[in-house]
Amino acid sequence: MKIDLGKVIEATHIRIAVKSVHSNEYVAVKNIAINGYDVIPEAEVLNNAKVDLNNAINEAEALAKFYEAEDFAPVVEKINAAKEVAEDATLEVIVAAKTAIEAAIAALNEIYLSNSEADLYGNSLTLNGTIDVNFYMTLSEEVRNNEAAYMNFTILRGEDMEILKVPVAEAVSAGNDYPSNVYVFKCGVPVKDMETDIKAQIVILDAEKNVVKKGFLYTYSVADYITDISENPGDYVAPEKVESLTALVNTMSDFGNCASVYFNETEGTTMTEEEKVALHGALEAYVATVPAKGVYYGSSLLLKSDTIVRHYFTAEVTEAPEGYKIDEKSGLYYIESAGVPAHELGISETITVTTTAGVMDITYSPLSYAYAVLCREGDADNLTNLMRAMYAYQQAAVAYNQ
């Protein structure tokens, strides 16, 4: 069963429709009336033009996050030039600066999809063996049916960049609760990257694989969703679920922070001996049953966007349980589970594994690994603290899912 954390948070971005502006928009008049309207003093006309120019600058700067930096560079150039317009500039100079900004944006929009073609409807988070950030997109029929269209996810981790391309044809309908043209694109996020921004953009290629059109850039993260829910949990679930939802997102945030500290090898919080003893006692219920070390080499836990259990063997694995992957690494053979949902991290599974050296049974859960860490000597405090956070996250997920 998957856990959907509340409703979709609808997009709050503002798309600014740029109007074309002509130099005759402002007519400086002194001592005459036009069509019976009041005379507008020249000073007031100039002041209004300056206000409009400043508004155009602010609106253009607000648009920057929706475009790729390289594409937006000509607009930045016009913005910077507009900021240099002198205080005593003439009306013609002021209007020209504003027109230049809008012309640059209009040119840019020739290669970007319009709102009606592709737009962000909202975001949500799903815990279903993976941590998925969901982008709900409204798509036109033309984009939806374009076989060369795909969603480009970019995840920046310091100097490293991961790119995930999801064909538009693989997006699923958001369902009956949403407009018929809303589709969902999922991006899995490792536990340690909950603070990491995900940039999402629809891209369309031509027959030679060149980009001919692209959508606006939208940025979101697990942390953004956690913040949205933490501030107003009652907006997303029934009153009786507010407490358990709040606990879940708080423990999820702690789990992500501890994972980041552990994998990035930074300084984190050290558990007291009393806390370790208490955690050891709580995890005793999850003790694994495994063969003596020999053909069975050991087990580990992988915290990617999925939470995965991996069992290692010195002999080749010839048969594994359904849903388990068989592979080999560094002279050892292993099997690994599919992603384990948060509320099932404490459920032990008994599996039978066949190797060239014989058949064996293993009873294990992700929290079995946590217990093993607590029992070992010399493990880093950051790993112990990560196991504490995972256990708290599991307990909160169970409570929320009841």
Side-chain angles (χ1 to χ4, degrees), residues 262-307:
Y262 174 71
F263 288 107
N264 295 324
E265 299 181 347
T266 55
E267 186 175 350
T269 304
T270 300
M271 293 177 64
T272 66
E273 287 305 313
E274 291 77 8
E275 288 173 330
K276 290 180 181 178
V277 169
L279 180 60
H280 184 281
L283 291 173
E284 283 182 342
Y286 306 98
V287 176
T289 301
V290 297
K293 192 165 183 179
V295 175
Y296 169 73
Y297 188 81
S299 301
S300 66
L301 191 66
L302 283 67
L303 299 177
K304 300 180 179 179
S305 59
D306 312 62
T307 301

Side-chain angles (χ1 to χ4, degrees), residues 200-332:
Q201 181 181 42
I202 296 291
V203 176
I204 298 178
L205 306 178
D206 61 15
E208 286 73 42
K209 304 299 182 183
N210 298 312
V211 176
V212 291
K213 279 277 190 177
K214 46 191 169 183
F216 286 84
L217 278 170
Y218 300 108
T219 304
Y220 208 69
S221 69
V222 176
D224 289 334
Y225 196 85
I226 289 174
T227 298
D228 289 335
I229 288 183
S230 297
E231 291 177 351
N232 297 290
D235 291 346
Y236 305 103
V237 293
E240 64 271 16
K241 298 288 285 186
V242 166
E243 184 177 351
S244 61
L245 176 61
T246 301
L248 179 57
V249 295
N250 287 341
T251 55
M252 180 192 293
S253 178
D254 183 43
F255 186 31
N257 290 335
C258 290
S260 178
V261 166
Y262 174 71
F263 288 107
N264 295 324
E265 299 181 347
T266 55
E267 186 175 350
T269 304
T270 300
M271 293 177 64
T272 66
E273 287 305 313
E274 291 77 8
E275 288 173 330
K276 290 180 181 178
V277 169
L279 180 60
H280 184 281
L283 291 173
E284 283 182 342
Y286 306 98
V287 176
T289 301
V290 297
K293 192 165 183 179
V295 175
Y296 169 73
Y297 188 81
S299 301
S300 66
L301 191 66
L302 283 67
L303 299 177
K304 300 180 179 179
S305 59
D306 312 62
T307 301
I308 295 171
V309 173
R310 182 180 286 181
H311 302 293
Y312 294 88
F313 308 88
T314 57
E316 183 179 358
V317 178
T318 57
E319 186 176 351
E322 183 179 354
Y324 276 73
K325 168 187 172 183
I326 301 175
D327 211 332
E328 182 268 338
K329 181 179 181 181
S330 303
L332 291 172

Side-chain angles (χ1 to χ4, degrees), residues 25 28 50 56 87 103 168 194 261 273 292 311 337:
E25 178 178 351
K50 290 176 183 177
E87 183 64 28
V168 166
M194 289 189 189
V261 166
E273 287 305 313
H311 302 293
S337 69

Side-chain angles (χ1 to χ4, degrees), residues 49-321:
K50 290 176 183 177
V51 170
D52 284 347
L53 175 59
N54 286 332
N55 288 339
I57 291 171
N58 292 336
E59 291 172 356
E61 289 179 331
L63 287 173
K65 65 180 180 180
F66 297 115
Y67 297 87
E68 293 184 32
E70 184 178 351
D71 294 337
F72 201 70
V75 181
V76 173
E77 180 183 336
K78 301 304 180 186
I79 291 172
N80 291 337
K83 290 181 177 179
E84 296 299 321
V85 171
E87 183 64 28
D88 60 351
T90 65
L91 179 65
E92 288 73 16
V93 170
I94 297 171
V95 172
K98 180 172 182 280
T99 303
I101 291 174
E102 293 169 342
I105 293 175
L108 186 58
N109 285 338
E110 289 298 315
I111 62 171
Y112 276 77
L113 296 167
S114 67
N115 293 4
S116 61
E117 292 174 300
D119 198 10
L120 179 67
Y121 182 87
N123 296 95
S124 73
L125 196 67
T126 304
L127 310 178
N128 186 28
T130 63
I131 299 175
D132 290 326
V133 174
N134 305 312
F135 285 78
Y136 288 65
M137 301 291 299
T138 57
L139 301 176
S140 68
E141 282 297 313
E142 183 179 1
V143 172
R144 170 64 178 167
N145 296 324
N146 191 320
E147 294 181 356
Y150 64 89
M151 171 67 86
N152 192 76
F153 288 118
T154 303
I155 306 172
L156 294 174
R157 302 185 182 95
E159 296 180 356
D160 298 327
M161 178 189 297
E162 178 184 351
I163 295 177
L164 174 65
K165 297 180 179 181
V166 180
V168 166
E170 294 181 8
V172 297
S173 170
N176 295 332
D177 292 336
Y178 301 91
S180 60
N181 64 336
V182 176
Y183 298 89
V184 184
F185 295 84
K186 296 180 180 292
C187 182
V189 180
V191 174
K192 66 183 180 66
D193 291 331
M194 289 189 189
E195 297 282 344
T196 301
D197 283 340
I198 301 168
K199 294 186 180 297
Q201 181 181 42
I202 296 291
V203 176
I204 298 178
L205 306 178
D206 61 15
E208 286 73 42
K209 304 299 182 183
N210 298 312
V211 176
V212 291
K213 279 277 190 177
K214 46 191 169 183
F216 286 84
L217 278 170
Y218 300 108
T219 304
Y220 208 69
S221 69
V222 176
D224 289 334
Y225 196 85
I226 289 174
T227 298
D228 289 335
I229 288 183
S230 297
E231 291 177 351
N232 297 290
D235 291 346
Y236 305 103
V237 293
E240 64 271 16
K241 298 288 285 186
V242 166
E243 184 177 351
S244 61
L245 176 61
T246 301
L248 179 57
V249 295
N250 287 341
T251 55
M252 180 192 293
S253 178
D254 183 43
F255 186 31
N257 290 335
C258 290
S260 178
V261 166
Y262 174 71
F263 288 107
N264 295 324
E265 299 181 347
T266 55
E267 186 175 350
T269 304
T270 300
M271 293 177 64
T272 66
E273 287 305 313
E274 291 77 8
E275 288 173 330
K276 290 180 181 178
V277 169
L279 180 60
H280 184 281
L283 291 173
E284 283 182 342
Y286 306 98
V287 176
T289 301
V290 297
K293 192 165 183 179
V295 175
Y296 169 73
Y297 188 81
S299 301
S300 66
L301 191 66
L302 283 67
L303 299 177
K304 300 180 179 179
S305 59
D306 312 62
T307 301
I308 295 171
V309 173
R310 182 180 286 181
H311 302 293
Y312 294 88
F313 308 88
T314 57
E316 183 179 358
V317 178
T318 57
E319 186 176 351

